[in-house]
Amino acid sequence: MDVVVVGAGASGIGAAIRLLQAGITDFTVLEKSSEPGGTWRDNTYPGCACDVPSALYSYSFAPNPSWTRAFAGQAEIRSYLSDTASRYGVTPYIRCGVEMLRAQWDASAQRWLLETSEGPLEARVLITATGPWHQPLIPSIPGAFDGPVFHSSRWDHSVDLSGLRVAVVGSGASAVQFVPAIQPLVSSLHLFQRTAQWVLPKPDHYVPGLERWVFRRFPLAQRVLRRLEYLGMEALGLGFRHPWIMRAVQRVGLLHLRRSVRSASLRAALTPSYTLGCKRLLMSNTYYPSLAQSNVSVHPSAVAEFSGNRVIGADGTSVEADVVVLGTGFRILDLPVATKVYDADGRSLADHWQGSPQAYLGTAVAGFPNLFNLLGPNLGTGHTSAFMILEAQLDHVLGAVSSLLDRGWSSLDVRPEVQASFVAEVQEALRGTVYETGGCASYYHDANGRNSFSWPWSTRRLRKHVAHFDPAAYTISAPLEVVR
């Protein structure tokens, strides 16, 4: 095939649509699950919703006038992705239930040789669209727990939490959503919080039917809303690059905490010691009030071990529980796909990266010709939509793929010095940002302590630079004899 895309979440569906729009039809999308949807298929925990405004959290070419909330819930986003795939005619190209097991570049054939759960495939171009929010991070906790233990992204709906004692490990983005949803159901909830999080008010609301009618009848109205939301998020983004702004915004978070929690001791446990934005920005109107309820206990401690039906904290706290829910996030830098993709010499992406993912414009990796990674290293922002990043990358990828196919090139391999220059520039620019000066340890930092996740500049700059495909940045192989 000309192109194989791995993963049918937002990135893979977007790639498929853009390929079709470019007139490229000899491709397939491999999806190991039984249906598309990516992280919005996998995460079905109670209260699951987006923390980016709905009008902004969508493809620019496929607005959805039917969002029922300003910040859409999981079910609506999943339906949106499925409906968009169908509307743009890419559903037939998605092969569900097919997992890519291994991919290796064959230098002599100038092809990617893939091993899949349904047999071998060959591709001129390989696009990985597996995303950073796919593989849950399961902490290694000594001992054994007698009851059910599950991660929020693999929620066990067969377990009825009504009247049970529940221990929650972690207080990140997922926990901020599911804790308020389950708190009224359980007899007791023990939240083990290693680090307090900044939580801002969430400007969420129901979207009335009249407003949705206006969006359907006058599409320009929703485009204006999207633009306003974009500008608002960009204004907040200034704070990530200028930490003094974030320290001013923190006052909103402190006021939100003070209004929601009366207990001085609980407020103290929930007050972060780092600058807002150093960790992922969280928003909720219900998280703090739920923690103030009589059946909730907050333990400012990591979990040290399990013992029977007891959860024991690092500070010596010991509580009895019937169920443990892990809200411990994802392997966003230790990407599983990196162990499945190999260069011509048999070295994997993980071997190349040695714990610190690197890619030119977060997209192409030196030594891996005709490989493009969507939502790759150092493209993450703390303030805008992943769709903004994705669409910029897709412009770059389609520029490269179309050039390769139309001009008869056999391969494109980003030049090592170009990649190294980009990576060095990013790391230098990150130094003054809140990610590096905010005084926290976050999942933005990889196993070597380097920030391999964050983009240090504006979204405008990201869209301008990442979207531009420059052939001069690549080593281009000799043309093939047969030109498409």
Side-chain angles (χ1 to χ4, degrees), residues 6-154:
V6 182
S11 299
I13 291 171
I17 292 172
R18 290 297 309 277
L19 287 167
L20 273 188
Q21 289 176 335
I24 300 169
T25 59
D26 188 22
F27 73 91
T28 192
V29 181
L30 305 182
E31 171 53 59
K32 68 180 181 179
S33 296
S34 59
E35 55 186 302
T39 191
W40 297 107
R41 175 201 59 234
D42 294 341
N43 287 267
T44 60
Y45 59 81
C48 183
C50 193
D51 53 11
V52 173
S54 306
L56 197 60
Y57 196 80
S58 54
Y59 303 109
S60 63
F61 54 81
N64 177 20
S66 300
W67 296 120
T68 62
R69 298 204 65 85
F71 291 76
Q74 174 264 338
E76 278 196 284
I77 299 174
R78 180 179 181 180
S79 294
Y80 166 76
L81 292 173
S82 178
D83 293 346
T84 303
S86 178
R87 181 152 54 101
Y88 282 82
V90 300
T91 303
Y93 292 86
I94 301 173
R95 297 174 60 182
C96 290
V98 181
E99 181 178 4
M100 186 195 78
L101 305 175
R102 177 187 171 93
Q104 182 163 359
W105 177 251
D106 185 329
S108 60
Q110 295 286 281
R111 294 284 189 276
W112 281 100
L113 306 182
L114 280 67
E115 298 174 14
T116 80
S117 57
E118 286 195 351
L121 278 176
E122 292 187 16
R124 297 184 65 183
V125 175
L126 180 63
I127 300 175
T128 61
T130 52
W133 301 284
H134 168 60
Q135 192 68 27
L137 177 61
I138 308 296
S140 178
I141 300 175
F145 184 74
D146 284 347
V149 179
F150 53 86
H151 192 275
S152 60
S153 69
R154 304 294 186 265

Side-chain angles (χ1 to χ4, degrees), residues 141-327:
I141 300 175
F145 184 74
D146 284 347
V149 179
F150 53 86
H151 192 275
S152 60
S153 69
R154 304 294 186 265
W155 196 274
D156 188 346
H157 292 277
S158 69
V159 178
D160 182 1
L161 299 181
S162 301
L164 299 185
R165 302 167 298 179
V166 178
V168 175
V169 181
S171 57
S174 300
V176 163
Q177 294 184 341
F178 73 71
V179 164
I182 67 173
Q183 175 270 320
L185 305 175
V186 304
S187 65
S188 64
L189 191 153
H190 294 274
L191 176 69
F192 284 84
Q193 169 196 271
R194 186 174 58 180
T195 307
Q197 305 281 350
W198 284 106
V199 181
L200 299 179
K202 189 173 186 177
D204 191 19
H205 61 85
Y206 174 74
V207 179
L210 177 60
E211 186 174 336
R212 283 177 268 152
W213 177 86
V214 170
F215 289 152
R216 287 193 296 270
R217 183 71 177 81
F218 305 102
L220 177 62
Q222 191 173 31
R223 289 199 294 270
V224 170
L225 175 62
R226 179 186 174 96
R227 181 63 178 173
L228 291 174
E229 290 177 344
Y230 167 75
L231 293 174
M233 301 296 268
E234 282 305 288
L236 180 61
L238 287 171
F240 290 85
R241 304 189 294 278
H242 305 284
W244 65 269
I245 297 176
M246 281 305 200
R247 286 189 282 273
V249 178
Q250 283 179 189
R251 297 172 187 170
V252 177
L254 290 172
L255 179 61
H256 183 46
L257 175 59
R258 191 176 303 117
R259 286 181 171 178
S260 304
V261 178
R262 292 184 178 182
S263 167
S265 60
L266 180 55
R267 284 203 307 271
L270 295 174
T271 301
S273 59
Y274 57 87
T275 305
L276 175 70
C278 183
K279 288 178 174 285
R280 180 173 173 177
L281 195 62
L282 306 179
M283 293 186 292
S284 175
N285 302 323
T286 56
Y287 180 64
Y288 284 150
S290 71
L291 298 184
Q293 300 305 307
S294 59
N295 65 334
V296 177
S297 299
V298 176
H299 308 284
S301 169
V303 172
E305 65 175 309
F306 295 138
S307 179
N309 68 341
R310 304 196 72 84
V311 181
I312 303 170
D315 62 353
T317 300
S318 178
V319 302
E320 292 186 349
D322 302 304
V323 179
V324 173
V325 181
L326 304 174

